[in-house]
């Protein structure tokens, strides 16, 4: 997955390191993966505009918790499989973009990027991101 930091994360990071943390940034206690349809550019534009209109909503979809290992050389990856609930119906579109979020609903997107291969999820499918396949980098 190629990824981009959201404006929210970029502003919080810059403020933390270069402005004495005047926004009082704290790290989220839990992180989640959200699934989206569309292009990364469109999804990011919508997220920056304050909407998650491209997020999957059907088929028992729910954001799923993710944990990461230690960062190395400006990159970090998930340290366990991220397994979404088995779809009880077809997802409302082809999954093309993943985002790392700070809440199970609404909240803030931190990073987003396009999948290397889009995935159509139908009834009975279980969408999964294997260990180390969700890599985020700041390079």
């Amino acid at each position: 997955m190629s990824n981009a930091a959201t404006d929210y994360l970029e502003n919080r990071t810059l403020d933390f390191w270069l402005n004495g943390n005047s926004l009082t940034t704290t790290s989220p206690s839990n992180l989640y993966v959200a699934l989206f349809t569309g292009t990364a550019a469109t999804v990011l534009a919508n997220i920056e505009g304050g909407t998650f209109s491209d997020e999957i909503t059907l088929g028992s979809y729910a954001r799923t918790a993710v944990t990461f290992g230690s960062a190395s050389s400006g990159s970090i990856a998930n340290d366990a499989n991220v397994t979404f609930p088995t779809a009880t119906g077809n997802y409302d579109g082809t999954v093309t973009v993943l985002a790392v979020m700070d809440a199970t609903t609404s909240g803030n997107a931190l990073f987003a990027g396009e999948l290397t291969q889009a995935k159509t999820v139908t009834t009975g499918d279980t969408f999964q991101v294997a260990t180390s396949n969700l890599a985020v980098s700041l390079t």
Side-chain angles (χ1 to χ4, degrees), residues 50-72:
T51 177
F52 302 113
S53 59
D54 305 310
E55 188 170 4
I56 299 295
T57 59
L58 300 177
S60 296
Y61 162 79
R63 293 180 187 174
T64 300
V66 62
T67 56
F68 290 90
S70 298
S72 176

PDB file of all heavy atoms in Angstrom, residues 50-72:
ATOM      1  N   GLY A  50     -13.759  16.426   5.901  1.00  0.00           N
ATOM      2  CA  GLY A  50     -14.521  16.048   7.091  1.00  0.00           C
ATOM      3  C   GLY A  50     -15.602  15.015   6.873  1.00  0.00           C
ATOM      4  O   GLY A  50     -16.499  14.863   7.698  1.00  0.00           O
ATOM      5  N   THR A  51     -15.514  14.270   5.781  1.00  0.00           N
ATOM      6  CA  THR A  51     -16.538  13.258   5.536  1.00  0.00           C
ATOM      7  C   THR A  51     -15.887  11.912   5.210  1.00  0.00           C
ATOM      8  O   THR A  51     -14.812  11.872   4.626  1.00  0.00           O
ATOM      9  CB  THR A  51     -17.478  13.673   4.375  1.00  0.00           C
ATOM     10  OG1 THR A  51     -18.407  12.606   4.154  1.00  0.00           O
ATOM     11  CG2 THR A  51     -16.732  13.936   3.101  1.00  0.00           C
ATOM     12  N   PHE A  52     -16.558  10.856   5.608  1.00  0.00           N
ATOM     13  CA  PHE A  52     -16.101   9.499   5.305  1.00  0.00           C
ATOM     14  C   PHE A  52     -17.102   8.855   4.339  1.00  0.00           C
ATOM     15  O   PHE A  52     -17.425   7.679   4.451  1.00  0.00           O
ATOM     16  CB  PHE A  52     -15.959   8.679   6.587  1.00  0.00           C
ATOM     17  CG  PHE A  52     -15.020   9.292   7.582  1.00  0.00           C
ATOM     18  CD1 PHE A  52     -15.469   9.792   8.784  1.00  0.00           C
ATOM     19  CD2 PHE A  52     -13.660   9.393   7.296  1.00  0.00           C
ATOM     20  CE1 PHE A  52     -14.599  10.364   9.699  1.00  0.00           C
ATOM     21  CE2 PHE A  52     -12.785   9.967   8.194  1.00  0.00           C
ATOM     22  CZ  PHE A  52     -13.254  10.457   9.402  1.00  0.00           C
ATOM     23  N   SER A  53     -17.588   9.629   3.377  1.00  0.00           N
ATOM     24  CA  SER A  53     -18.644   9.186   2.475  1.00  0.00           C
ATOM     25  C   SER A  53     -18.250   8.003   1.612  1.00  0.00           C
ATOM     26  O   SER A  53     -19.120   7.304   1.094  1.00  0.00           O
ATOM     27  CB  SER A  53     -19.099  10.342   1.582  1.00  0.00           C
ATOM     28  OG  SER A  53     -18.015  10.842   0.826  1.00  0.00           O
ATOM     29  N   ASP A  54     -16.963   7.739   1.443  1.00  0.00           N
ATOM     30  CA  ASP A  54     -16.504   6.616   0.625  1.00  0.00           C
ATOM     31  C   ASP A  54     -16.272   5.354   1.450  1.00  0.00           C
ATOM     32  O   ASP A  54     -15.850   4.335   0.913  1.00  0.00           O
ATOM     33  CB  ASP A  54     -15.200   6.981  -0.095  1.00  0.00           C
ATOM     34  CG  ASP A  54     -15.337   8.246  -0.925  1.00  0.00           C
ATOM     35  OD1 ASP A  54     -16.289   8.331  -1.706  1.00  0.00           O
ATOM     36  OD2 ASP A  54     -14.497   9.147  -0.768  1.00  0.00           O
ATOM     37  N   GLU A  55     -16.524   5.415   2.757  1.00  0.00           N
ATOM     38  CA  GLU A  55     -16.286   4.239   3.607  1.00  0.00           C
ATOM     39  C   GLU A  55     -17.366   3.194   3.361  1.00  0.00           C
ATOM     40  O   GLU A  55     -18.540   3.507   3.181  1.00  0.00           O
ATOM     41  CB  GLU A  55     -16.269   4.635   5.083  1.00  0.00           C
ATOM     42  CG  GLU A  55     -15.844   3.497   5.994  1.00  0.00           C
ATOM     43  CD  GLU A  55     -15.589   3.926   7.437  1.00  0.00           C
ATOM     44  OE1 GLU A  55     -15.805   5.111   7.771  1.00  0.00           O
ATOM     45  OE2 GLU A  55     -15.185   3.058   8.223  1.00  0.00           O
ATOM     46  N   ILE A  56     -16.961   1.938   3.370  1.00  0.00           N
ATOM     47  CA  ILE A  56     -17.891   0.817   3.230  1.00  0.00           C
ATOM     48  C   ILE A  56     -18.917   0.893   4.368  1.00  0.00           C
ATOM     49  O   ILE A  56     -18.568   1.243   5.498  1.00  0.00           O
ATOM     50  CB  ILE A  56     -17.129  -0.529   3.279  1.00  0.00           C
ATOM     51  CG1 ILE A  56     -16.126  -0.633   2.129  1.00  0.00           C
ATOM     52  CG2 ILE A  56     -18.079  -1.708   3.315  1.00  0.00           C
ATOM     53  CD1 ILE A  56     -16.742  -0.668   0.745  1.00  0.00           C
ATOM     54  N   THR A  57     -20.167   0.546   4.072  1.00  0.00           N
ATOM     55  CA  THR A  57     -21.204   0.586   5.109  1.00  0.00           C
ATOM     56  C   THR A  57     -22.049  -0.684   5.171  1.00  0.00           C
ATOM     57  O   THR A  57     -22.744  -0.903   6.149  1.00  0.00           O
ATOM     58  CB  THR A  57     -22.168   1.778   4.890  1.00  0.00           C
ATOM     59  OG1 THR A  57     -22.776   1.646   3.609  1.00  0.00           O
ATOM     60  CG2 THR A  57     -21.437   3.107   4.992  1.00  0.00           C
ATOM     61  N   LEU A  58     -22.016  -1.514   4.131  1.00  0.00           N
ATOM     62  CA  LEU A  58     -22.908  -2.676   4.077  1.00  0.00           C
ATOM     63  C   LEU A  58     -22.196  -3.984   4.422  1.00  0.00           C
ATOM     64  O   LEU A  58     -20.974  -4.033   4.516  1.00  0.00           O
ATOM     65  CB  LEU A  58     -23.518  -2.793   2.676  1.00  0.00           C
ATOM     66  CG  LEU A  58     -24.364  -1.613   2.197  1.00  0.00           C
ATOM     67  CD1 LEU A  58     -24.832  -1.844   0.765  1.00  0.00           C
ATOM     68  CD2 LEU A  58     -25.546  -1.371   3.119  1.00  0.00           C
ATOM     69  N   GLY A  59     -22.964  -5.049   4.584  1.00  0.00           N
ATOM     70  CA  GLY A  59     -22.414  -6.395   4.741  1.00  0.00           C
ATOM     71  C   GLY A  59     -21.789  -6.680   6.085  1.00  0.00           C
ATOM     72  O   GLY A  59     -20.855  -7.462   6.189  1.00  0.00           O
ATOM     73  N   SER A  60     -22.275  -6.034   7.158  1.00  0.00           N
ATOM     74  CA  SER A  60     -21.730  -6.199   8.519  1.00  0.00           C
ATOM     75  C   SER A  60     -20.316  -5.652   8.647  1.00  0.00           C
ATOM     76  O   SER A  60     -19.559  -6.050   9.529  1.00  0.00           O
ATOM     77  CB  SER A  60     -21.768  -7.658   8.972  1.00  0.00           C
ATOM     78  OG  SER A  60     -23.095  -8.107   9.056  1.00  0.00           O
ATOM     79  N   TYR A  61     -19.966  -4.727   7.755  1.00  0.00           N
ATOM     80  CA  TYR A  61     -18.648  -4.094   7.830  1.00  0.00           C
ATOM     81  C   TYR A  61     -18.508  -3.316   9.130  1.00  0.00           C
ATOM     82  O   TYR A  61     -19.446  -2.674   9.598  1.00  0.00           O
ATOM     83  CB  TYR A  61     -18.464  -3.118   6.645  1.00  0.00           C
ATOM     84  CG  TYR A  61     -17.350  -2.123   6.878  1.00  0.00           C
ATOM     85  CD1 TYR A  61     -16.024  -2.498   6.702  1.00  0.00           C
ATOM     86  CD2 TYR A  61     -17.618  -0.837   7.311  1.00  0.00           C
ATOM     87  CE1 TYR A  61     -14.999  -1.605   6.938  1.00  0.00           C
ATOM     88  CE2 TYR A  61     -16.597   0.066   7.550  1.00  0.00           C
ATOM     89  CZ  TYR A  61     -15.291  -0.317   7.357  1.00  0.00           C
ATOM     90  OH  TYR A  61     -14.274   0.564   7.605  1.00  0.00           O
ATOM     91  N   ALA A  62     -17.328  -3.371   9.717  1.00  0.00           N
ATOM     92  CA  ALA A  62     -16.983  -2.560  10.876  1.00  0.00           C
ATOM     93  C   ALA A  62     -15.476  -2.322  10.846  1.00  0.00           C
ATOM     94  O   ALA A  62     -14.710  -3.207  10.450  1.00  0.00           O
ATOM     95  CB  ALA A  62     -17.370  -3.265  12.169  1.00  0.00           C
ATOM     96  N   ARG A  63     -15.069  -1.136  11.231  1.00  0.00           N
ATOM     97  CA  ARG A  63     -13.635  -0.879  11.363  1.00  0.00           C
ATOM     98  C   ARG A  63     -13.053  -1.914  12.317  1.00  0.00           C
ATOM     99  O   ARG A  63     -13.704  -2.341  13.265  1.00  0.00           O
ATOM    100  CB  ARG A  63     -13.381   0.527  11.913  1.00  0.00           C
ATOM    101  CG  ARG A  63     -13.782   1.619  10.948  1.00  0.00           C
ATOM    102  CD  ARG A  63     -13.504   2.983  11.529  1.00  0.00           C
ATOM    103  NE  ARG A  63     -14.045   4.031  10.679  1.00  0.00           N
ATOM    104  CZ  ARG A  63     -14.047   5.310  10.996  1.00  0.00           C
ATOM    105  NH1 ARG A  63     -13.542   5.705  12.170  1.00  0.00           N
ATOM    106  NH2 ARG A  63     -14.545   6.200  10.172  1.00  0.00           N
ATOM    107  N   THR A  64     -11.812  -2.278  12.053  1.00  0.00           N
ATOM    108  CA  THR A  64     -11.199  -3.361  12.811  1.00  0.00           C
ATOM    109  C   THR A  64      -9.874  -2.896  13.416  1.00  0.00           C
ATOM    110  O   THR A  64      -9.100  -2.187  12.765  1.00  0.00           O
ATOM    111  CB  THR A  64     -10.999  -4.586  11.898  1.00  0.00           C
ATOM    112  OG1 THR A  64     -12.287  -4.989  11.410  1.00  0.00           O
ATOM    113  CG2 THR A  64     -10.364  -5.733  12.629  1.00  0.00           C
ATOM    114  N   ALA A  65      -9.635  -3.303  14.658  1.00  0.00           N
ATOM    115  CA  ALA A  65      -8.430  -2.881  15.387  1.00  0.00           C
ATOM    116  C   ALA A  65      -7.166  -3.360  14.690  1.00  0.00           C
ATOM    117  O   ALA A  65      -7.134  -4.428  14.075  1.00  0.00           O
ATOM    118  CB  ALA A  65      -8.473  -3.422  16.811  1.00  0.00           C
ATOM    119  N   VAL A  66      -6.123  -2.542  14.801  1.00  0.00           N
ATOM    120  CA  VAL A  66      -4.815  -2.865  14.232  1.00  0.00           C
ATOM    121  C   VAL A  66      -3.750  -2.476  15.248  1.00  0.00           C
ATOM    122  O   VAL A  66      -3.918  -1.508  15.989  1.00  0.00           O
ATOM    123  CB  VAL A  66      -4.585  -2.142  12.880  1.00  0.00           C
ATOM    124  CG1 VAL A  66      -4.598  -0.622  13.044  1.00  0.00           C
ATOM    125  CG2 VAL A  66      -3.285  -2.595  12.226  1.00  0.00           C
ATOM    126  N   THR A  67      -2.695  -3.269  15.296  1.00  0.00           N
ATOM    127  CA  THR A  67      -1.527  -2.933  16.105  1.00  0.00           C
ATOM    128  C   THR A  67      -0.306  -2.962  15.197  1.00  0.00           C
ATOM    129  O   THR A  67      -0.297  -3.642  14.168  1.00  0.00           O
ATOM    130  CB  THR A  67      -1.332  -3.915  17.279  1.00  0.00           C
ATOM    131  OG1 THR A  67      -1.243  -5.251  16.755  1.00  0.00           O
ATOM    132  CG2 THR A  67      -2.489  -3.819  18.271  1.00  0.00           C
ATOM    133  N   PHE A  68       0.700  -2.221  15.590  1.00  0.00           N
ATOM    134  CA  PHE A  68       1.912  -2.105  14.789  1.00  0.00           C
ATOM    135  C   PHE A  68       3.125  -2.512  15.603  1.00  0.00           C
ATOM    136  O   PHE A  68       3.147  -2.362  16.824  1.00  0.00           O
ATOM    137  CB  PHE A  68       2.087  -0.655  14.312  1.00  0.00           C
ATOM    138  CG  PHE A  68       1.062  -0.249  13.287  1.00  0.00           C
ATOM    139  CD1 PHE A  68      -0.146   0.316  13.672  1.00  0.00           C
ATOM    140  CD2 PHE A  68       1.297  -0.445  11.942  1.00  0.00           C
ATOM    141  CE1 PHE A  68      -1.097   0.674  12.734  1.00  0.00           C
ATOM    142  CE2 PHE A  68       0.360  -0.086  10.985  1.00  0.00           C
ATOM    143  CZ  PHE A  68      -0.839   0.476  11.388  1.00  0.00           C
ATOM    144  N   GLY A  69       4.134  -3.026  14.897  1.00  0.00           N
ATOM    145  CA  GLY A  69       5.404  -3.359  15.532  1.00  0.00           C
ATOM    146  C   GLY A  69       6.232  -2.104  15.721  1.00  0.00           C
ATOM    147  O   GLY A  69       5.712  -0.996  15.720  1.00  0.00           O
ATOM    148  N   SER A  70       7.521  -2.254  15.848  1.00  0.00           N
ATOM    149  CA  SER A  70       8.428  -1.121  16.031  1.00  0.00           C
ATOM    150  C   SER A  70       8.819  -0.531  14.683  1.00  0.00           C
ATOM    151  O   SER A  70       9.031  -1.256  13.713  1.00  0.00           O
ATOM    152  CB  SER A  70       9.689  -1.571  16.777  1.00  0.00           C
ATOM    153  OG  SER A  70       9.348  -2.037  18.053  1.00  0.00           O
ATOM    154  N   ALA A  71       8.950   0.778  14.659  1.00  0.00           N
ATOM    155  CA  ALA A  71       9.364   1.465  13.436  1.00  0.00           C
ATOM    156  C   ALA A  71      10.846   1.242  13.184  1.00  0.00           C
ATOM    157  O   ALA A  71      11.645   1.123  14.111  1.00  0.00           O
ATOM    158  CB  ALA A  71       9.080   2.952  13.554  1.00  0.00           C
ATOM    159  N   SER A  72      11.187   1.174  11.906  1.00  0.00           N
ATOM    160  CA  SER A  72      12.583   1.013  11.491  1.00  0.00           C
ATOM    161  C   SER A  72      12.760   1.674  10.131  1.00  0.00           C
ATOM    162  O   SER A  72      11.932   1.476   9.233  1.00  0.00           O
ATOM    163  CB  SER A  72      12.939  -0.475  11.421  1.00  0.00           C
ATOM    164  OG  SER A  72      14.243  -0.648  10.934  1.00  0.00           O
TER     165      SER A  72
END
